[in-house]
């Protein structure tokens, strides 16, 4: 906020760009605010819209006028991305944004061509197209990421969020010919190799179709150094048969840690706000007959010098890939494996693996693994306690209707056969199954809303009774009403003034708006000059030939509305531990597999 004037103008229809906001206009044009540097932001996966009203943390900042929240999609079946059109002098930027969406859902939407990026109708080749996205870039599963090839090739630069490794220097996608900049996280959030890369932010300069990314090192980030040791690679130093080999390994690790501490001290930037203690991680592969030493005793020597003394040493054994039976799945290893060092496990994968390896007597006979995985995911992530129950009820009712329509004989073998055929047909029709899951989740949310209304009503009655006892007929005992009235007045005041300001500016800006239309493909092959450089090089011209390509791609009709999570601490269980979550999941799966869902059919 400040008095410096904003030098660019918005040409697009702000009612479209911010249609989901209570204040559908850019904050620096609000008559009640004095903005000097407007901030435009999409939401990420940690602050995605949830709850009955689909609100997120950015909505609070947006309603307060502190930033402009864009890139939010109200539909889970089809996405139309309308850009914010900015102009400063002769430079025009089309700012596209897409807030975080579950990767599997967005992947299917791209495959089914349900994602459309709208382009300016006039002079579409004169715009610098900037796309901001927050999804998995690296492949974590078959569909648990977004390939760069899914994005349209008319884009000039993609700013990719969510990934923590800093790769801020733009790199070109050889197939689509656009550039990708991955700023990474601003602080170290885990002791992984990607976090050990030096942290930067970027200042993007755009003039016409030329761009320059200026890298700016962050000076207040805690330094982090990581190194790997393979004991088997040092046969001259370590012999597994030597009774004192453990002491030799410990001395070697101490030497390595001291070197890492010296490097961390030399790399300090001298900023007084930078934390003094560094993060140190030494990963030791002790395969080959070696034994780990006491990590806690080792860490006591660095209590005053390292920010993570208990996590300095990480022992692991690298095993060669051997042929094994995929059906022999050890869930104990999955539970005990540290998530920071191992693979990323998802609830849907655990559900699928469980039923693939379970005995025949505990296999699902009516429910599908996919539907159950979605329900368990809702229970784990959003604490939708009725999700599994409603899914079981919904699919049971549907199966009962199916059996009644088929007029199946009341014989167990025939019923089992009909149910098996019905289940297989539902598994093949993924869209119908997604619709079932959405309907079940809607029921669960409705039950939760009814419970909340009953609780609120009872609370209001209690408050009313208490107020009447304490204050009698006096109006002085209603502070809550007074506060609520003052808040409403303030909200109306800003809205009214903002609307007047918008009305005054509508005629002035309306003539500058550009109509948008979805285009299925580029009209012709294009060639233009695009300059890119980081802070260590000069501008150079790069000629890029665009190939004609379909602009519309993607999508599936699956996906559930997200809900706000309830308090976990009030239940007296520490859900920060992944092991607790896995134990809860396995218990739920065991209970579900024991359900005799066919008895009501008979």
């Amino acid at each position: 906020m400040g008095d410096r004037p904003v030098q660019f103008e918005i040409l697009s229809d702000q009612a479209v760009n911010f249609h989901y906001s209570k204040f559908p206009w850019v904050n620096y044009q609000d008559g009640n605010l004095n903005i000097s540097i407007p901030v435009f932001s999409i939401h990420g996966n940690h602050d995605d819209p949830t709850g009955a009203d689909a609100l997120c943390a950015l909505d609070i900042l947006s309603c307060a006028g502190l930033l402009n929240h864009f890139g939010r999609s109200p539909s889970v079946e089809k996405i139309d991305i309308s850009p914010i059109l900015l102009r400063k002098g002769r430079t025009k930027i089309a700012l596209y944004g897409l807030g975080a969406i579950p990767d599997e859902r967005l992947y299917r939407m791209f495959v089914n061509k349900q994602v459309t990026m709208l382009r300016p109708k006039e002079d579409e080749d004169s715009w610098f197209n900037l796309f901001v996205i927050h999804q998995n870039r690296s492949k974590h599963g078959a569909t648990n990421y977004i390939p760069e090839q899914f994005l349209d090739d008319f884009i000039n630069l993609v700013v990719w969020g969510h990934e923590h490794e800093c790769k801020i220097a733009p790199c070109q996608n050889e197939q689509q010919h656009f550039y990708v900049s991955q700023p990474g996280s601003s602080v170290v959030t885990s002791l992984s190799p990607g976090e050990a890369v030096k942290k930067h932010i970027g200042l993007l300069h755009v003039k016409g179709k030329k761009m320059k990314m200026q890298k700016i090192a962050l000076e207040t980030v805690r330094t982090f150094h990581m190194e790997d040791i393979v004991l088997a690679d040092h046969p001259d130093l370590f012999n597994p048969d030597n009774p004192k080999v453990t002491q030799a390994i410990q001395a070697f690790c101490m030497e390595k840690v001291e070197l890492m501490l010296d490097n961390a001290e030399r790399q300090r930037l001298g900023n007084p706000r930078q934390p003094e203690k560094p993060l140190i991680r030494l990963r030791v592969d002790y395969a080959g007959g070696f034994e780990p030493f006491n990590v806690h005793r080792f860490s006591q020597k660095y209590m005053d010098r390292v920010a993570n003394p208990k996590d300095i040493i990480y022992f692991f054994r690298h095993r060669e890939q051997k042929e094994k039976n995929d059906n022999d799945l050890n869930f104990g290893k999955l539970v005990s494996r540290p998530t920071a060092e191992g693979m990323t496990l998802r609830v849907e994968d655990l559900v699928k693996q469980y039923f693939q390896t379970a005995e025949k007597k505990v296999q699902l006979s009516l429910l599908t693994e996919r539907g159950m995985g979605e329900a368990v995911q809702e229970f784990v992530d959003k604490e939708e306690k009725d999700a599994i129950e409603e899914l079981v009820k919904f699919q049971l009712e549907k199966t009962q209707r199916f059996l009644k329509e088929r007029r199946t004989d009341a014989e167990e073998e025939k019923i089992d056969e009909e149910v098996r055929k019905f289940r297989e047909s539902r598994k093949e029709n993924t869209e119908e199954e997604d619709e079932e899951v959405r309907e079940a989740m809607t029921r669960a949310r409705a039950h939760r809303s009814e419970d909340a209304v009953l609780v609120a009503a009872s609370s209001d009655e209690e408050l009313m009774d208490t107020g009447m006892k304490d204050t009698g007929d006096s109006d002085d005992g209603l502070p809550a009403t007074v506060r609520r009235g003052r808040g409403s007045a303030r909200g109306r005041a800003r809205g009214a003034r903002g609307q007047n300001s918008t009305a005054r500016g509508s005629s002035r800006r309306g003539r500058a708006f550009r109509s948008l239309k979805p285009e299925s493909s580029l009209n012709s092959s294009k060639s233009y000059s695009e300059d890119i450089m980081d802070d260590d090089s000069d501008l150079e011209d790069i000629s890029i030939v665009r190939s004609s390509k379909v602009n519309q791609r993607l999508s599936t009709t699956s996906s559930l509305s997200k809900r706000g999570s309830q308090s976990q601490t009030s239940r007296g269980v520490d859900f920060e531990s992944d092991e607790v979550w896995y134990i809860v999941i396995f218990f739920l799966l065991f209970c579900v597999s024991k359900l005799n869902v066919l008895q009501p059919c008979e």
Side-chain angles (χ1 to χ4, degrees), residues 191-193 196 224-230 234 252-253 255-261 263 279-285 312-314 316 341:
L191 301 177
S192 59
F224 174 38
H225 292 269
M226 173 178 283
E227 191 171 338
D228 291 347
I229 298 177
V230 181
H234 302 276
F252 184 77
C253 291
E255 181 181 353
K256 286 290 185 181
V257 171
E258 291 293 338
L259 290 176
M260 297 169 70
L261 286 171
N263 292 334
L279 293 168
I280 301 296
R281 184 70 149 183
L282 183 63
R283 303 193 301 183
V284 182
D285 183 354
I312 295 179
I313 303 294
Y314 173 71
F316 70 99
E341 304 292 343

Side-chain angles (χ1 to χ4, degrees), residues 28-315:
Y28 75 85
Q29 292 182 351
D30 193 315
N32 303 298
L33 303 173
N34 201 16
I35 305 295
S36 61
I37 303 179
V39 176
F40 295 85
S41 175
I42 63 173
H43 63 264
N45 60 308
H46 289 284
D47 56 343
D48 54 335
T50 58
D53 297 327
L55 298 176
C56 67
L58 289 188
D59 290 324
I60 300 177
L61 301 178
S62 177
C63 289
L66 299 179
L67 57 76
N68 303 289
H69 180 202
F70 75 108
R72 178 170 169 177
S73 175
S75 174
V76 297
E77 298 180 354
K78 181 172 174 45
I79 298 177
D80 292 327
I81 305 176
S82 180
I84 301 175
L85 303 180
L86 311 175
R87 183 175 67 183
K88 179 181 179 182
R90 296 183 179 180
T91 299
K92 297 185 293 184
I93 297 180
L95 178 60
Y96 296 85
L98 182 61
I101 297 176
D103 293 284
E104 295 89 346
R105 180 189 306 165
L106 186 58
Y107 187 100
R108 293 192 295 266
M109 295 179 75
F110 271 107
V111 171
N112 294 333
K113 303 187 186 314
Q114 296 298 319
V115 179
T116 305
M117 299 186 70
L118 309 179
R119 302 190 65 185
K121 184 176 182 180
E122 302 175 1
D123 300 328
E124 63 179 24
D125 294 333
S126 64
W127 293 85
F128 182 89
N129 300 295
L130 175 62
F131 184 38
V132 186
I133 188 174
H134 190 101
Q135 303 290 154
N136 279 335
R137 185 183 179 190
S138 55
K139 187 174 182 179
H140 297 277
T143 61
N144 194 23
Y145 76 113
I146 302 300
E148 295 180 7
Q149 287 72 19
F150 280 2
L151 307 183
D152 292 283
D153 59 0
F154 70 83
I155 298 172
N156 301 109
L157 176 65
V158 178
V159 179
W160 207 297
H162 186 61
E163 300 288 349
H164 285 206
E165 184 176 358
C166 182
K167 298 179 180 179
I168 202 165
C171 58
Q172 188 178 27
N173 182 289
E174 298 298 335
Q175 180 175 344
Q176 302 296 88
H177 300 295
F178 52 63
Y179 288 85
V180 180
S181 174
Q182 180 178 302
S185 62
S186 58
V187 295
V188 178
T189 59
S190 63
L191 301 177
S192 59
E195 297 280 12
V197 180
K198 193 173 182 179
K199 303 293 186 181
H200 292 82
I201 61 171
L203 183 59
L204 180 65
H205 301 264
V206 180
K207 184 176 182 180
K209 301 285 284 189
K210 299 179 180 180
M211 67 178 179
K212 172 186 175 182
M213 180 68 76
Q214 179 183 352
K215 295 166 57 177
I216 302 176
L218 296 177
E219 299 180 355
T220 60
V221 179
R222 189 186 297 273
T223 55
F224 174 38
H225 292 269
M226 173 178 283
E227 191 171 338
D228 291 347
I229 298 177
V230 181
L231 299 180
D233 293 344
H234 302 276
D236 53 332
L237 298 178
F238 311 115
N239 182 4
D241 299 328
N242 187 343
K244 296 185 178 180
V245 65
T246 304
Q247 290 83 345
I249 294 173
Q250 185 171 350
F252 184 77
C253 291
M254 289 181 63
E255 181 181 353
K256 286 290 185 181
V257 171
E258 291 293 338
L259 290 176
M260 297 169 70
L261 286 171
D262 292 340
N263 292 334
E265 184 63 28
R266 285 195 297 268
Q267 293 183 11
R268 283 181 55 84
L269 299 176
N271 191 303
R273 295 193 299 166
Q274 185 178 21
E276 295 182 0
K277 297 180 181 180
L279 293 168
I280 301 296
R281 184 70 149 183
L282 183 63
R283 303 193 301 183
V284 182
D285 183 354
Y286 66 102
F290 299 98
E291 293 294 332
F293 54 80
N294 191 314
V295 176
H296 296 288
R297 185 178 303 171
F298 181 89
S299 64
Q300 292 178 357
K301 304 174 183 178
Y302 300 95
M303 294 295 293
D304 298 330
R305 302 176 60 189
V306 179
N308 60 317
K310 296 182 180 180
D311 300 319
I312 295 179
I313 303 294
Y314 173 71
F315 283 103

Side-chain angles (χ1 to χ4, degrees), residues 577-591:
S577 171
D578 290 335
E579 295 188 8
V580 177
W581 280 122
Y582 296 146
I583 293 173
V584 171
I585 294 169
F586 297 143
F587 177 74
L588 292 171
L589 296 176
F590 178 78
C591 295

Side-chain angles (χ1 to χ4, degrees), residues 439-453:
E439 177 65 24
M441 296 307 104
T442 301
R443 290 187 178 186
R445 289 195 302 273
H447 286 176
R448 187 182 63 180
S449 299
E450 293 175 0
D451 295 341
V453 170

Side-chain angles (χ1 to χ4, degrees), residues 113 119 148-154 175-176 178 519-525 546-553:
K113 303 187 186 314
R119 302 190 65 185
E148 295 180 7
Q149 287 72 19
F150 280 2
L151 307 183
D152 292 283
D153 59 0
F154 70 83
Q175 180 175 344
Q176 302 296 88
F178 52 63
E519 296 181 2
S520 59
S521 63
L522 298 179
N523 295 330
S524 59
S525 298
R546 305 291 192 186
S547 60
S548 178
K549 190 172 189 315
V550 175
N551 280 342
Q552 296 183 349
R553 314 181 182 190

Side-chain angles (χ1 to χ4, degrees), residues 308-471:
N308 60 317
K310 296 182 180 180
D311 300 319
I312 295 179
I313 303 294
Y314 173 71
F315 283 103
F316 70 99
R317 283 189 293 184
H318 177 74
R319 295 184 176 89
E320 297 181 358
Q321 296 292 335
K322 298 180 180 180
E323 294 184 1
K324 63 179 182 179
N325 188 358
D326 294 337
N327 294 329
D328 297 336
L329 183 63
N330 189 336
F331 282 99
K333 293 182 179 179
L334 294 180
V335 170
S336 60
R337 187 171 185 176
T339 57
E341 304 292 343
M343 63 180 181
T344 301
L345 295 177
R346 294 178 297 127
V347 175
E348 298 94 326
D349 296 334
L350 292 175
V351 173
K352 185 177 180 180
Q353 291 173 351
Y354 175 84
F355 286 111
Q356 284 179 346
T357 59
E359 299 179 3
K360 184 176 181 181
K361 62 181 180 180
V362 296
Q363 288 285 352
L364 293 176
S365 59
L366 187 148
L367 306 177
T368 61
E369 292 86 354
R370 182 177 178 182
M372 182 54 59
E374 292 279 0
V376 176
Q377 180 75 55
E378 288 293 317
F379 177 86
V380 172
D381 286 350
K382 305 299 181 183
E383 289 196 45
E384 197 65 66
K385 60 181 180 180
D386 296 327
I388 300 177
E389 179 183 359
E390 288 301 327
L391 179 68
V392 172
K393 289 181 179 179
F394 184 84
Q395 293 190 345
L396 177 59
E397 292 172 0
K398 190 169 184 178
T399 305
Q400 290 174 335
R401 290 195 300 269
F402 172 78
L403 294 177
K404 290 179 180 179
E405 293 174 357
R406 300 273 296 185
R407 297 184 179 180
T408 306
D409 296 336
E411 298 180 9
E412 185 173 352
E413 294 182 358
K414 292 184 178 181
I415 292 178
D416 289 343
E417 180 65 20
E418 291 293 339
V419 170
R420 186 189 64 80
K421 292 181 180 179
F422 182 56
R423 181 175 180 271
E424 293 298 326
S425 65
R426 285 174 31 241
K427 289 177 64 176
E428 295 176 358
N429 191 345
T430 58
E431 293 185 0
E432 182 178 353
E433 187 173 7
D434 291 337
E435 184 64 30
E436 291 180 3
V437 175
R438 283 199 297 272
E439 177 65 24
M441 296 307 104
T442 301
R443 290 187 178 186
R445 289 195 302 273
H447 286 176
R448 187 182 63 180
S449 299
E450 293 175 0
D451 295 341
V453 170
L454 293 176
V455 172
S458 61
S459 300
D460 289 344
E461 292 178 0
E462 292 177 0
L463 289 174
M464 182 65 70
D465 294 341
T466 303
M468 293 298 293
K469 292 178 182 179
D470 293 342
T471 64

